[in-house]
Amino acid sequence: MAEKVAQAGVLDLAAPLSPVERYYFGAEFCPWLFPEVAQIEQALALARQAQRPLTLLTPVLSEFFFPRFEEALAAIAPQLMPQDEIVLSDWGALATLKKLAPQATLVLGRVLSGQKRGPRILDLALSDFDRDYFQQGSVYSREMVALLQEVGIVRVELDNLLQGVAPLPEGLVGTLHLPYAMVSSSRNCPYREGLGDRGCPKECGAPFTLESDETAIPLLQRGNTQFLENCSLPDGLAEKRIDRVVRHSVLPL
């Protein structure tokens, strides 16, 4: 694998475009934060203007949100090109994505990577065998690699784990997200109590920090998802089969 690592960034419709090789746009974790069709079209227009491809992040879905998701995808799909990507964060969306946007490249989202997450892993007394286990995820199994190849997925999105990231198996390439690594996510959001199938009436509340005596590393929460911050770029990305890095300036959606 070439040593060059492509740089990608998250597109902010209200900010000047950053000089990167690919733009990411959408939502990974909360369906109610998935952008409207007009916003996705604006992001596509900006990416086309910069002559850069777009990666559309799709979220973990709920039964209430799925019809809106299908409508949005049906409207956007004809505008996507083969160099554009759609990140799959919910296996329930696979058939819809392949049906409505067969020309776009599918990517497995970090929600589905099965990586071992959380700061307390650093407190464990790990043997070399244990460390290798905690640096991997479900995408490292032969069965998962075979499944991904069957559905046409080669690229997987990865979190920058504190304990390190193991080299991906043959047949896969990876994208590493910095500096915020997902720790956990839930359908239960502190800002959505009692809303049922209705969208959120306003933006999420301000992100906040969670601290515990059990670890020196705080968790950062935005909406329904908790993150930790790891700014250190691992060595040997090429050997790990990671050829792209996405840098987030704020906590992801």
Side-chain angles (χ1 to χ4, degrees):
M1 178 182 295
E3 291 293 330
K4 184 178 183 298
V5 176
Q7 300 295 317
V10 179
L11 195 154
D12 182 345
L13 297 180
L17 292 178
S18 54
V20 294
E21 297 167 76
R22 173 178 289 273
Y23 294 108
Y24 277 58
F25 187 74
E28 296 176 83
F29 308 106
C30 177
W32 304 109
L33 295 178
F34 189 68
E36 301 290 341
V37 170
Q39 294 173 306
I40 302 174
E41 290 178 333
Q42 185 180 354
L44 276 169
L46 289 171
R48 300 289 186 257
Q49 177 184 334
Q51 298 183 325
R52 294 291 185 267
L54 184 80
T55 295
L56 179 63
L57 297 163
T58 67
V60 178
L61 302 175
S62 71
E63 59 272 24
F64 299 126
F65 179 77
F66 199 81
R68 178 190 151 191
F69 174 73
E70 286 186 308
E71 291 174 5
L73 191 63
I76 291 300
Q79 305 176 52
L80 298 177
M81 298 181 178
Q83 64 267 32
D84 296 318
E85 297 172 341
I86 301 178
V87 172
L88 173 73
S89 298
D90 192 315
W91 284 113
L94 177 63
T96 297
L97 292 176
K98 292 185 74 68
K99 175 183 177 181
L100 295 179
Q103 78 281 17
T105 300
L106 278 185
V107 176
L108 191 75
R110 50 181 167 161
V111 175
L112 299 176
S113 70
Q115 289 176 284
K116 282 72 175 178
R117 312 173 186 279
R120 286 186 288 182
I121 293 174
L122 294 182
D123 299 326
L124 302 176
L126 301 177
S127 65
D128 290 343
F129 177 84
D130 294 334
R131 184 172 301 279
D132 183 60
Y133 169 80
F134 278 102
Q135 290 180 344
Q136 297 187 27
S138 58
V139 294
Y140 288 77
S141 71
R142 288 180 299 175
E143 294 80 7
M144 179 61 82
V145 173
L147 173 62
L148 293 176
Q149 291 175 339
E150 181 180 332
V151 299
I153 293 178
V154 173
R155 179 172 297 278
V156 297
E157 307 286 297
L158 299 171
D159 277 308
N160 188 25
L161 303 176
L162 292 171
Q163 67 271 23
V165 178
L168 284 166
E170 189 77 23
L172 297 180
V173 294
T175 299
L176 194 68
H177 288 253
L178 292 175
Y180 303 112
M182 169 196 166
V183 174
S184 65
S185 189
S186 170
R187 287 192 176 196
N188 298 317
C189 176
Y191 304 109
R192 274 196 56 79
E193 291 186 13
L195 289 176
D197 62 350
R198 290 171 289 162
C200 293
K202 57 183 179 180
E203 291 291 328
C204 290
F208 55 91
T209 301
L210 298 167
E211 296 181 333
S212 169
D213 294 336
E214 297 181 2
T215 175
I217 300 172
L219 298 182
L220 309 172
Q221 180 152 347
R222 183 179 188 184
N224 65 342
T225 305
Q226 295 176 356
F227 305 87
L228 57 80
E229 186 172 5
N230 182 10
C231 299
S232 299
L233 188 66
D235 295 327
L237 291 182
E239 290 74 17
K240 298 178 187 297
R241 303 185 61 81
I242 293 171
D243 64 359
R244 183 191 300 168
V245 171
V246 183
R247 298 184 185 274
H248 297 258
S249 59
V250 298
L251 289 173
L253 300 174

